[in-house]
Amino acid sequence: MNTLLTLGQFGIFAGRVVRSSFTHKLPVARTIEEAYRIGVRSLPILLVISFFVGTNLALQGYVAFRPMGAQQMLGMFVGLAGVRELAPIMVAAMVSAKAGTEMASQIAVMRIREQIDALEVMAVDPYVYLVTPRFLGIVLVLPALTIISIATLIGSAWLVTVYQLGEPGGPFLALVWNTTSGTDLMVAGIKGGLFGSFICAVSCFCGFTSPPGPAGVGRATNAAVVISAVCCAILNYFVSEVAYG
Amino acid sequence: MTDNVDIIPHQDAIIRLENVSKRFGDLIVLDDVSMSFERGRTTAIIGPSGTGKSVLLKHLVGLLQPDSGHVWIGDVDMAVANEKLKYATRRRFGMLFQDGALFDSMSAGDNVAFPLLHHTTMSAEERRAKAEEKLALVELKGLYDRPTPALSGGQRKRVGLARAIIMEPEIVLFDEPNSGLDPLTSDTIDELIGKMKAALGITFIVITHDIVSAEAIADRVGMLWKGKLVAYQETSKFVHSTDPVVKRFLERNLGHRW
Ligand SMILES: Nc1ncnc2c1ncn2[C@@H]1O[C@H](COP(=O)(O)OP(=O)(O)O)[C@@H](O)[C@H]1O
Ligand SMILES: [Mg+2]
């Protein structure tokens, strides 16, 4: 019952954002600002995590294929698992942890300190002012982050393959190249954009509906990460099912 | 209606509440409240904390919708107005929130100039000049570039006040302009409101639980108690009220302040 009520509220929230966005001038400058912020802030952690997921992909692939004497299949393994599945969901997790929590807590603080009310009284639509630029920013930037994550992951897997496992690097890259098509990259990018829109919508919604007080901000922020991570994981399954099933 | 509520003629009212009721879950906050606010005068609403003073104020600008009743701003009923009409009507208001509701990411002056950025075509220099003029009015000359988090409580309120009047609104709402301030700073705010009253001819509505402040600035005082408007009269009459609830509140409040 409570969940249904919240879903209803979320629907109303999303509807207001969409309607307000279409009836106002697009905040171009602030969108670029947000995109830059989300991208730049999430990049370091994303690079580190992608790098070390790539290394382990190579290690585990090697462990799995070597007994069959098929260690040259490593490239295929990295291509399929890394590019198609791991990179997009990893980016989603990182961005929801970094940018999503920031959105939720910033907006929640504005809610409990009456700054959102103040925006409305000053006749500035808070949906357009607070949500639209964040939404467009994240949707613009997530596909790019996903591609960067993919490149990092392949690079680190290559490093491990060549310098640690002593396998030839050329065939590895050739296999990665052959198993991943342009479509794969496109699907990964689309996943990124889709995850981004969910992360933003959920995080902003949690902020807007923050319970009162500092404890409320904490709860809103927490709910934002948990819900957006779960949404992205479920969504990931369905997109993969549609694209590859 | 009790004897303690004096009626304001229709033609003098800029805002009229008609039978407004509001509840949150089981909590009845406003219980069939009807009252008008006179154009060009200052009205104070007093009452113990938690009686719904802020809730009442939020109804005036459409931040809250009544469960039943009407909120007339001129001939617009905020209770049923669509978003577009509500936003248009809000342009007639300025509001000072309880803790200022300033944006911490901006300087004090940019907060004051914020409405200009959104509702005028002024250049950056013009906006700054206008904001500086309002800052001077609230005796914060030279503080344009001060980061908002570095402001004291009294300064925050004054910056909020400057922002509330920058668009030269017809009606200005204050939610507890004196709360959280020491008596001296609090008197300064009262003096500022008095000064603006004389200079601008605006309709002021001030919420406070401080009767001394209400007496200092208001032409008329209303008292909310348990969701009802128990008294609403000219200030001079109100402070000598014989109503037991009002009397008790006045005595306690005065004792508290002095
Ligand atoms: N948005 C809300 N949701 C639920 N309860 C609220 C809300 N706003 C105010 N209340 C409750 O309504 C009552 C009156 O609040 P308020 O108008 O802020 O009192 P005050 O007279 O001190 O300004 C309080 O009990 C408060 O908890
Ligand atoms: Mg209050």
Side-chain angles (χ1 to χ4, degrees):
Chain A
M1 182 57 218
N2 242 330
T3 319
L4 270 180
L5 203 74
T6 311
L7 271 179
Q9 283 178 332
F10 180 74
I12 294 171
F13 172 80
R16 289 227 34 185
V17 172
V18 171
R19 203 186 52 194
S20 292
S21 301
F22 278 105
T23 50
H24 289 74
K25 214 172 59 199
L26 277 184
V28 178
R30 297 195 53 245
T31 295
I32 294 169
E33 201 178 296
E34 290 292 340
Y36 179 79
R37 237 175 38 174
I38 295 162
V40 167
R41 294 236 183 122
S42 309
L43 200 55
I45 180 168
L46 188 74
L47 288 177
V48 173
I49 304 255
S50 302
F51 187 91
F52 286 105
V53 166
T55 57
N56 287 30
L57 264 186
L59 286 179
Q60 291 297 348
Y62 190 72
V63 170
F65 290 116
R66 200 182 135 90
M68 302 173 249
Q71 56 267 39
Q72 67 275 19
M73 301 297 276
L74 215 58
M76 194 175 109
F77 178 66
V78 170
L80 286 180
V83 174
R84 286 188 177 181
E85 296 300 342
L86 277 174
I89 197 71
M90 221 161 52
V91 172
M94 288 311 112
V95 169
S96 85
K98 196 94 180 77
T101 51
E102 195 175 275
M103 288 182 193
S105 61
Q106 277 174 349
I107 294 178
V109 166
M110 295 188 71
R111 165 60 78 202
I112 66 163
R113 293 177 63 196
E114 295 187 307
Q115 292 169 16
I116 295 182
D117 288 343
L119 280 173
E120 288 197 53
V121 174
M122 290 187 281
V124 175
D125 190 316
Y127 298 90
V128 179
Y129 186 73
L130 296 174
V131 184
T132 310
R134 287 178 167 84
F135 187 86
L136 296 177
I138 204 170
V139 171
L140 279 177
V141 121
L142 267 217
L145 286 181
T146 309
I147 302 300
I148 293 174
S149 162
I150 287 173
T152 313
L153 186 148
I154 293 174
S156 69
W158 178 84
L159 282 176
V160 168
T161 305
V162 174
Y163 291 102
Q164 189 181 344
L165 304 174
E167 295 290 323
F172 168 84
L173 284 182
L175 251 183
V176 172
W177 184 252
N178 287 336
T179 38
T180 54
S181 59
T183 320
D184 288 331
L185 288 184
M186 207 175 73
V187 172
I190 290 174
K191 275 184 179 178
L194 218 55
F195 294 160
S197 53
F198 263 75
I199 292 166
C200 177
V202 168
S203 302
C204 291
F205 174 72
C206 288
F208 261 81
T209 53
S210 169
V217 175
R219 275 169 53 197
T221 308
N222 200 308
V225 215
V226 172
I227 298 171
S228 41
V230 170
C231 282
C232 289
I234 296 172
L235 206 61
N236 190 33
Y237 168 72
F238 284 105
V239 177
S240 286
E241 174 61 33
V242 169
Y244 303 115
Chain B
M1 290 276 148
T2 63
D3 305 337
N4 297 310
V5 177
D6 295 344
I7 305 295
I8 292 170
H10 248 215
Q11 67 271 18
D12 295 342
I14 187 164
I15 298 173
R16 282 187 298 122
L17 298 180
E18 267 176 31
N19 308 101
V20 170
S21 293
K22 179 71 179 180
R23 62 193 316 166
F24 293 109
D26 292 333
L27 180 73
I28 299 173
V29 180
L30 297 177
D31 185 5
D32 197 27
V33 172
S34 296
M35 73 186 298
S36 299
F37 295 93
E38 286 169 288
R39 182 178 289 107
R41 299 188 83 205
T42 298
T43 306
I45 299 175
I46 63 170
S49 68
T51 39
K53 302 184 297 295
S54 298
V55 167
L56 182 104
L57 211 59
K58 286 179 181 172
H59 276 80
L60 303 185
V61 284
L63 287 173
L64 288 172
Q65 250 73 52
D67 298 327
S68 60
H70 304 280
V71 180
W72 294 102
I73 313 296
D75 50 13
V76 175
D77 184 359
M78 289 299 259
V80 296
N82 61 24
E83 290 295 319
K84 202 171 161 212
L85 192 52
K86 247 194 245 176
Y87 272 97
T89 309
R90 283 176 186 149
R91 302 281 292 272
R92 302 174 63 181
F93 284 92
M95 180 162 176
L96 171 61
F97 284 85
Q98 200 154 341
D99 290 309
L102 304 177
F103 305 121
D104 283 331
S105 56
M106 299 175 195
S107 70
D110 284 344
N111 264 291
V112 177
F114 185 84
L116 298 175
L117 179 66
H118 285 269
H119 297 305
T120 69
T121 53
M122 286 181 172
S123 70
E125 296 77 46
E126 288 170 320
R127 291 197 299 267
R128 186 178 174 111
K130 179 107 186 238
E132 275 177 344
E133 174 198 316
K134 297 297 179 202
L135 279 172
L137 189 68
V138 297
E139 290 162 17
L140 290 177
K141 211 175 162 85
L143 258 64
Y144 190 102
D145 293 310
R146 180 75 54 93
T148 299
L151 297 171
S152 72
Q155 288 172 334
R156 290 181 78 88
K157 297 236 175 181
R158 280 185 279 166
V159 171
L161 189 52
R163 182 177 72 179
I165 55 171
I166 190 123
M167 296 295 291
E168 326 227 302
E170 286 171 72
I171 309 161
V172 179
L173 311 177
F174 297 95
D175 195 351
E176 309 255 9
N178 300 308
S179 77
L181 300 182
D182 61 89
L184 259 170
T185 318
S186 172
D187 289 344
T188 324
I189 300 263
D190 289 349
E191 279 161 26
L192 272 174
I193 295 174
K195 200 167 90 182
M196 290 191 315
K197 246 175 84 174
L200 306 169
I202 300 173
T203 304
F204 287 107
I205 299 172
V206 185
I207 283 191
T208 176
H209 56 247
D210 181 353
I211 182 62
V212 178
S213 162
E215 201 181 341
I217 56 182
D219 302 311
R220 221 172 202 277
V221 184
M223 177 161 167
L224 267 186
W225 198 66
K226 293 191 173 173
K228 294 269 189 197
L229 184 69
V230 293
Y232 190 30
Q233 297 167 319
E234 291 292 308
T235 307
S236 52
K237 205 166 153 193
F238 183 92
V239 292
H240 297 113
S241 174
T242 52
D243 182 90
V245 173
V246 176
K247 260 179 92 167
R248 208 170 65 214
F249 186 80
L250 293 185
E251 280 160 13
R252 284 206 142 198
N253 212 269
L254 286 168
H256 188 72
R257 177 83 188 258
W258 301 119

